[in-house]
Amino acid sequence: MPKHHQPAPVITLTASNRVPSWYQHPMIVTVLYFLGTLILYIQSLLTGKYNNFIIFRSSWDHLLHHMPLYKLYPETYFDYFLYHPTFPILFAPLAILPATVGLFIWLMGSSGLFLYALRQLPVAANRRYIISWLLILELLNAIQSSQTNPIMTALMLLTVINLERKKPLLAALFTCLCFFIKGYGAITGLLFLFYDNKSTYMKYCLLFGISGTLLPLLILSPAELIQTYKDWFHMITSPVILEDASVRGMIHALMHIPLQPAIGIDKVMHVVAFTGLGTALFFAWKNKAPFYKWIIAAYLMLWVVLFNQSTESPTYIMAVTGAVAGLMLLPERPLSVILLGILVVVTSLCPTDLVPSFINKIAVSYQLKALPCLLILFYFQYYLCFTKQTAAEE
C-alpha cells in the first residue's frame, strides 16, 4: 500500500507537538508574571520612579482635606490627577498604608487580577497559556509605570465574561468600576446590547452608577462635589490631556505635523473612527458571525486606545490584550499568526530597551506601537462585516 503523507501544517501556534510541556504549566506562567512584577517593584524603589502611585496615593489625602484634585502639586508629584472623583476613595485602602507596602500590593494585585481575568477567557487551556505568554511583555511594560491600566484591562474582560455567564450584577459592577477609574474603560459595557437580561444589567448599572457618583459625599459637601465634577470634566476635555501614542499621534509623527489641538486631519480621523465603530456594531448584530460578541469586545478594547487623545504607551495593555484574545478566539489562520507576530515584535518589543537603540528610536519617534493594533482592528472590522453565521450555528 502506498503511504499517504499528510501535508505539513502551515504556520501554527497551537499544535501540541510543538509546545513543550513546561510552556503549558500554570505555575510557570504565574511565577514569571509575579517574578517580573517583583523585579519592577524593586526597581521602582531603587530609582524612586513610581510617580503615578504617588499621584493616586496623594489624591486620597487631597480629597480628605478638601483640596482640589485637578491642580498641579509639584512639591509632591509631577503631572495631573486625571481620574474620576470617586477613584481616591476606591484607592484609600492602599493610600493609608506605608508607600512601600501600598506599592507592593498595588503592583502584585494588578498582575494577579490581570492573570485571573485571562484564565477566565472561554478558550481551550493551551490557548489560554499562549495568550498569557504573548501578553507578559506588554503587561510588564504597563506595570513599570504603576498605572491603572492592567486593572482596567482585567475589569473590561471580566465585564464581558460575566455578561457571557449571564451574571448581570457582576457585569454591571465591573463596568461601573471601570468608569469610576477611567471613564472610557466602561466601553465594553456596550456588549450588553448583544446579551439577554438587558434591563437587569441596566438596573444594576444605574444602582452602582448613582452610588459611586455620590460616594465622595462621605467627605465632600454637595457644593464641593459638584465643583469637583466640573473640574474633572474640564480636565478630561482640555488640551492638557494630549498624549501622542494613539493613531492620531502616529499620523502626526509620520507626516511631521506638530501635535496640537484638533486640526482638519484629526476631525476626518474622528469621523472615520466613529463610522467604523457604528458599522462594526451594526454588522455584528446583523451577521452574528462565530464568536462575534468576543470579537466586538476585542474591537472595543482596540478602538478605545487607538482613537483616544489620552493614550500613552502603558495604555496599550488594553489594546494588545483585546487583539491577542480576539485573534486566539478565531480559527487559526496564517494571517492571524502573522498579525500576532507583528504585534508582539512592533508593539510590545520595539519600544523597549530589549532591541537595538536605532530600532527603538524609530519605533518611538514614529509612534509605531499603534500600527499593528490598527491592522488588527481592520482585520476584526472585515471579519464582523463580511463573516456570517452558518445554518449549523443558528
Side-chain angles (χ1 to χ4, degrees):
M1 296 270 313
K3 293 184 179 179
H4 296 282
H5 296 283
Q6 293 288 341
V10 293
I11 308 171
T12 182
L13 284 169
T14 56
S16 59
N17 61 337
R18 293 170 181 248
V19 180
S21 58
W22 62 264
Y23 185 90
Q24 302 187 56
H25 198 291
M27 186 56 67
I28 298 292
V29 177
T30 302
V31 167
L32 284 176
Y33 267 66
F34 285 114
L35 181 60
T37 303
L38 179 62
I39 291 171
L40 292 177
Y41 165 72
I42 295 171
Q43 180 191 60
S44 296
L45 294 184
L46 294 176
T47 61
K49 293 181 179 179
Y50 48 96
N51 182 68
N52 287 301
F53 179 79
I54 296 173
I55 292 175
F56 304 153
R57 191 168 184 266
S58 300
S59 69
W60 165 246
D61 187 60
H62 294 158
L63 188 75
L64 196 61
H65 292 90
H66 302 262
M67 298 166 65
L69 290 175
Y70 302 102
K71 62 174 288 188
L72 285 174
Y73 292 93
E75 71 282 358
T76 308
Y77 54 78
F78 59 90
D79 210 345
Y80 288 91
F81 176 77
L82 304 174
Y83 299 81
H84 192 280
T86 299
F87 179 71
I89 295 180
L90 298 179
F91 200 81
L94 295 179
I96 62 177
L97 296 173
T100 54
V101 177
L103 179 64
F104 178 82
I105 296 173
W106 174 244
L107 297 183
M108 288 295 186
S110 297
S111 291
L113 186 62
F114 180 79
L115 189 57
Y116 169 79
L118 293 185
R119 291 186 176 175
Q120 308 309 304
L121 291 173
V123 295
N126 64 327
R127 290 195 171 223
R128 280 201 297 272
Y129 298 131
I130 292 171
I131 290 171
S132 300
W133 281 100
L134 291 174
L135 290 173
I136 189 168
L137 182 57
E138 194 63 40
L139 172 72
L140 295 178
N141 286 341
I143 287 292
Q144 190 170 32
S145 70
S146 67
Q147 288 190 9
T148 59
N149 298 303
I151 285 180
M152 287 282 295
T153 305
L155 294 174
M156 293 167 86
L157 291 177
L158 290 170
T159 295
V160 187
I161 288 164
N162 283 282
L163 283 170
E164 189 79 21
R165 293 176 178 176
K166 299 182 179 180
K167 295 180 178 180
L169 185 151
L170 287 176
L173 175 62
F174 293 130
T175 301
C176 290
L177 284 174
C178 278
F179 182 78
F180 292 133
I181 300 173
K182 288 183 179 178
Y184 61 77
I187 194 171
T188 50
L190 285 176
L191 266 293
F192 89 95
L193 295 169
F194 300 95
Y195 288 93
D196 297 329
N197 300 318
K198 294 180 181 62
S199 61
T200 305
Y201 171 83
M202 287 299 294
K203 288 175 185 175
Y204 283 125
C205 278
L206 190 62
L207 173 64
F208 293 134
I210 293 174
S211 301
T213 299
L214 299 179
L215 194 59
L217 286 175
L218 293 172
I219 297 169
L220 302 179
S221 69
E224 287 176 319
L225 180 62
I226 292 170
Q227 184 59 50
T228 300
Y229 274 108
K230 287 180 180 178
D231 293 344
W232 174 60
F233 183 77
H234 175 74
M235 175 62 71
I236 63 176
T237 56
S238 73
V240 168
I241 309 178
L242 196 59
E243 301 295 343
D244 58 1
S246 64
V247 169
R248 179 177 184 270
M250 181 180 70
I251 292 173
H252 278 249
L254 290 171
M255 297 178 68
H256 302 285
I257 302 173
L259 197 65
Q260 56 190 347
I263 58 175
I265 191 172
D266 299 333
K267 294 176 182 178
V268 171
M269 186 186 67
H270 290 150
V271 170
V272 172
F274 279 98
T275 302
L277 175 60
T279 304
L281 291 171
F282 172 76
F283 279 100
W285 168 80
K286 182 176 182 290
N287 294 337
K288 295 180 172 59
F291 309 106
Y292 76 96
K293 295 173 185 176
W294 272 101
I295 301 307
I296 276 290
Y299 185 98
L300 292 172
M301 293 176 76
L302 282 158
W303 187 90
V304 79
V305 172
L306 290 172
F307 301 107
N308 190 332
Q309 71 173 22
S310 66
T311 292
E312 303 172 277
S313 181
T315 318
Y316 271 86
I317 185 61
M318 300 178 198
V320 175
T321 299
V324 171
L327 289 172
M328 292 300 294
L329 278 157
L330 293 177
E332 188 173 322
R333 294 187 175 93
L335 179 57
S336 63
V337 179
I338 292 169
L339 286 172
L340 279 171
I342 295 172
L343 179 73
V344 171
V345 172
V346 177
T347 299
S348 297
L349 186 60
C350 285
T352 72
D353 295 332
L354 299 175
V355 297
S357 59
F358 76 94
I359 295 177
N360 174 273
K361 185 176 180 180
I362 293 171
V364 173
S365 298
Y366 292 102
Q367 301 300 333
L368 296 182
K369 197 172 180 75
L371 183 59
C373 293
L374 185 62
L375 295 176
I376 294 170
L377 185 83
F378 290 154
Y379 182 71
F380 290 158
Q381 185 94 35
Y382 180 86
Y383 177 84
L384 291 167
C385 291
F386 297 103
T387 305
K388 295 185 178 180
Q389 186 180 38
T390 64
E393 292 161 340
E394 292 179 349

